[in-house]
């Protein structure tokens, strides 16, 4: 079936699934046969039909078999086989592995072209040059009158009016003894070499209805070039306006790009992060709870945190504490994400099987499985080879919401920034003076608190 080579296109607009097939009837039939089985599931996803989506996922997961055997409970490990790693060493390990993972992505997939409307916070990959001069015409700095400096003080005939948006030649060419009324930012007509601010003039003659000025008097002798921005005085066409600094673009820099005619530019592609919660006791928010169940708060917290920082996300749902289901969810994440973040199933419980699934089923390398940290001791970091030889990174965080939040801020967010091209991916550290006594653990410990700067209060840890 060669019709698949016709580069068919599929996309989504709001809740509408759009599939573009080739032109021939034979090719349409062949392509339709390929996608028809997937269309109901795609529509269920668009309509947020969780019952249908879950049923499809369970059917797919039924065919996935893990090598992990959790039936022999009495023979499970009583002590962790993973050495305790200091916090600083764990951060160093993460940075090293992340740096090594970047070349695993093909150069064409590391960058993407975005419009300037989507450029805020992104990292450019090459210097940006101006496509035009700024200003692109001779512009008035003030409200007043464009004039000829050699005329000095004295009367002027007002021959035209130039406002912002006027054509530069619409006001005619000034001759000695003439001037044109101009607004700030308006083009200066040919022949003028200065602008006299309105405060340094007075009206000598006007129309009977007072709507037009016919003649004014310049009270202060102007100088050549006074209050005129010449073409390219700010930026010349071809000038480099932004260098590659590995720092995220700011709002003022995006505004600069717009002012010199940039409509799109290449930036470092943002990593896609998938989030998975694990645990038999978890239910999605809004679902009825049975005895012994709780609502899953970790996943929505982490998804919102990543979206807050501008990273694209994938919701992998909730995996029960079963090897096959956990493996299926991880494989789903590997197929669509660069970083997979899980919560739960990393401690010493008989159903804490995530590390085993990573190692035995996915042949992942576990770089550390315990950190001398409070909260967050069982935090695990691993990597494996994914599609197209890409390196997939796994951050397996504790199930406790506070632990998950702390370790995500400590490890995951800096990693996502590093993958996005940031030269300084770590969060800002602010020194503060505590107002009450703190009892700290011998381990590195993160405490929740309120940071006060003047009258402003900010949650801090």
């Amino acid at each position: 079936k060669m019709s698949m080579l016709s580069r068919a296109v599929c996309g989504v607009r709001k809740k509408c699934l759009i599939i573009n097939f080739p032109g021939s009837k034979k090719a349409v039939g062949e392509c339709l046969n390929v996608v028809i089985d997937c269309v109901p599931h795609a529509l269920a996803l668009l309509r947020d039909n969780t019952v249908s989506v879950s049923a499809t996922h369970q059917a797919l997961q039924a065919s996935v078999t893990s090598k992990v055997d959790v039936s022999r409970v009495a023979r499970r490990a009583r002590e962790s086989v993973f050495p305790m790693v200091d916090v600083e060493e764990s951060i160093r390990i993460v940075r090293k592995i992340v740096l090594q993972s970047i070349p695993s992505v093909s150069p064409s997939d590391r960058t993407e072209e975005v419009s300037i409307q989507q450029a805020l916070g992104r990292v450019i990959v090459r210097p940006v040059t101006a496509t035009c001069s700024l200003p692109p015409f001779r512009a008035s700095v003030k409200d007043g009158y464009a004039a000829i400096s050699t005329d000095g003080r004295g009367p002027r005939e007002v021959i035209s009016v130039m406002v912002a948006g006027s054509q530069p030649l619409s006001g005619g060419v000034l001759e000695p003894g003439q001037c044109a009324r101009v607004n700030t930012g308006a083009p200066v007509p040919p022949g003028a070499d200065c602008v006299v601010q309105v405060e340094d003039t007075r009206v000598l003659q006007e129309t009977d209805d007072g709507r037009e000025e016919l003649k004014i008097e310049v009270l202060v002798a102007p100088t050549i070039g006074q209050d005129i921005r010449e073409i390219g005085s700010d930026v010349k066409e071809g000038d480099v306006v932004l260098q590659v600094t590995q720092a995220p673009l700011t709002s003022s820099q995006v505004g600069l790009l717009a002012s010199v005619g940039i409509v799109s530019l290449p930036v470092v592609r943002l990593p896609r992060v998938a989030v998975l919660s694990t645990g038999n006791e978890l239910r999605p928010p809004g679902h009825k709870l049975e005895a012994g169940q709780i609502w899953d708060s970790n996943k929505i917290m982490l998804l919102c945190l990543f979206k807050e920082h501008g990273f694209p996300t994938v919701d992998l749902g909730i995996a029960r504490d079963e090897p096959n289901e956990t493996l299926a969810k991880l494989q789903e994440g590997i197929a669509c994400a660069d970083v997979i973040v899980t919560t739960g199933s990393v401690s010493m419980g008989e159903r804490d099987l995530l590390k085993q699934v990573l190692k035995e089923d996915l042949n992942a390398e576990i770089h550390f499985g315990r950190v001398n940290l409070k909260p967050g001791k069982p935090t695990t970091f691993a990597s494996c080879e994914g599609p197209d030889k890409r390196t997939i990174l796994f951050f397996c965080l504790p199930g406790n919401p506070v632990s998950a939040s702390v370790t995500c801020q400590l490890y995951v967010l800096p990693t996502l920034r590093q993958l996005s091209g940031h030269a300084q991916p770590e969060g800002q550290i602010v020194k503060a003076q505590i107002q009450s006594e703190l009892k700290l653990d011998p381990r590195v410990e993160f405490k929740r608190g309120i940071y006060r700067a003047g009258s402003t209060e900010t949650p801090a840890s």
Side-chain angles (χ1 to χ4, degrees), residues 52-243:
S52 175
V53 171
S54 297
T56 302
H57 286 175
Q58 289 174 6
L60 293 172
Q61 293 160 9
S63 61
V64 177
T65 304
S66 170
K67 300 174 186 176
V68 176
D69 182 6
V70 293
S71 62
R72 300 177 181 180
V73 178
R75 297 183 182 180
R76 74 184 189 277
R78 301 286 170 169
E79 295 182 0
S80 176
V81 299
F82 298 97
M84 187 73 74
V85 178
D86 289 336
V87 173
E88 289 186 2
E89 175 65 9
S90 67
I91 293 175
R92 188 195 67 79
I93 291 172
V94 171
R95 296 292 165 269
K96 177 183 176 182
I97 299 302
V98 173
L99 190 61
Q100 292 174 349
S101 74
I102 294 175
S104 70
V105 181
S106 65
S108 61
D109 289 335
R110 287 183 220 158
T111 63
E112 61 180 342
E113 189 87 7
V114 299
S115 68
I116 59 171
Q117 286 83 2
Q118 281 78 49
L120 181 66
R122 304 299 292 273
V123 175
I124 61 175
V125 297
R126 64 168 179 253
V128 182
T129 58
T131 63
C132 65
S133 294
L134 186 67
F137 51 83
R138 299 170 72 234
S140 175
V141 175
K142 296 181 178 179
D143 296 320
Y145 299 87
I148 300 172
S149 59
T150 54
D151 285 343
R153 300 169 55 187
R156 303 282 199 285
E157 178 188 2
V158 182
I159 66 168
S160 60
V161 177
M162 304 290 284
V163 297
S166 296
Q167 293 293 324
L169 299 179
S170 63
V173 179
L174 291 192
E175 296 183 358
Q178 295 179 336
C179 70
R181 193 169 83 244
V182 293
N183 292 338
T184 301
V188 174
D193 63 3
C194 66
V195 169
V196 180
Q197 64 180 3
V198 68
E199 295 88 340
D200 292 337
T201 66
R202 68 185 181 94
V203 177
L204 295 179
Q205 185 181 355
E206 61 183 44
T207 58
D208 292 339
D209 57 10
R211 294 179 180 274
E212 296 291 339
E213 298 172 349
L214 301 177
K215 186 177 292 187
I216 57 112
E217 181 182 2
V218 175
L219 304 176
V220 179
T223 59
I224 189 170
Q226 174 179 301
D227 290 332
I228 292 180
R229 294 169 61 214
E230 296 293 342
I231 295 174
S233 57
D234 292 337
V235 178
K236 291 182 172 58
E237 182 178 352
D239 282 353
V240 174
V241 293
L242 285 181
Q243 296 282 4

Side-chain angles (χ1 to χ4, degrees), residues 228-366:
I228 292 180
R229 294 169 61 214
E230 296 293 342
I231 295 174
S233 57
D234 292 337
V235 178
K236 291 182 172 58
E237 182 178 352
D239 282 353
V240 174
V241 293
L242 285 181
Q243 296 282 4
V244 176
T245 62
Q246 292 184 291
L249 289 176
T250 64
S251 56
S252 58
Q253 289 173 325
V254 174
L256 171 62
L257 295 176
S259 70
V260 295
I262 304 297
V263 295
S264 65
L265 70 166
V267 296
V268 178
R269 185 179 67 87
L270 294 176
R272 186 176 298 276
V273 55
V275 182
L276 171 67
S277 289
T278 67
N280 294 338
E281 77 281 12
L282 298 180
R283 294 285 287 164
H287 286 235
K288 182 180 179 181
L289 295 182
E290 303 293 340
Q293 294 182 333
I294 60 174
W295 284 302
D296 174 23
S297 61
N298 281 340
K299 181 159 56 65
I300 191 169
M301 172 186 68
L302 295 177
L303 288 170
C304 289
L305 178 63
F306 298 139
K307 291 177 182 177
E308 179 184 352
H309 288 266
F311 297 109
T313 60
V314 178
D315 185 347
L316 294 179
I318 301 171
R320 294 175 299 168
D321 293 323
E322 300 291 341
N324 291 348
E325 186 167 331
T326 300
L327 175 59
K329 291 286 189 180
L330 292 177
Q331 289 178 334
E332 183 181 341
I334 289 173
C336 63
D338 306 290
V339 177
I340 298 176
V341 179
T342 67
T343 58
S345 193
V346 288
S347 193
M348 295 297 295
E350 63 185 75
R351 287 288 172 172
D352 290 333
L353 46 82
L354 191 53
K355 295 174 184 176
Q356 293 173 267
V357 172
L358 286 171
K359 190 172 182 179
E360 298 180 27
D361 294 319
L362 298 177
N363 196 30
E365 181 179 356
I366 298 179

Side-chain angles (χ1 to χ4, degrees), residues 360-401:
E360 298 180 27
D361 294 319
L362 298 177
N363 196 30
E365 181 179 356
I366 298 179
H367 304 289
F368 59 78
R370 288 194 305 163
V371 183
N372 196 25
L373 169 69
K374 182 181 180 180
K377 178 180 174 181
T379 301
T380 299
F381 173 56
S383 63
C384 76
E385 188 177 276
D388 304 324
K389 304 297 182 181
R390 291 186 297 111
T391 298
I392 307 297
L393 303 175
F394 297 88
F395 290 93
C396 307
L397 312 181
N400 178 278

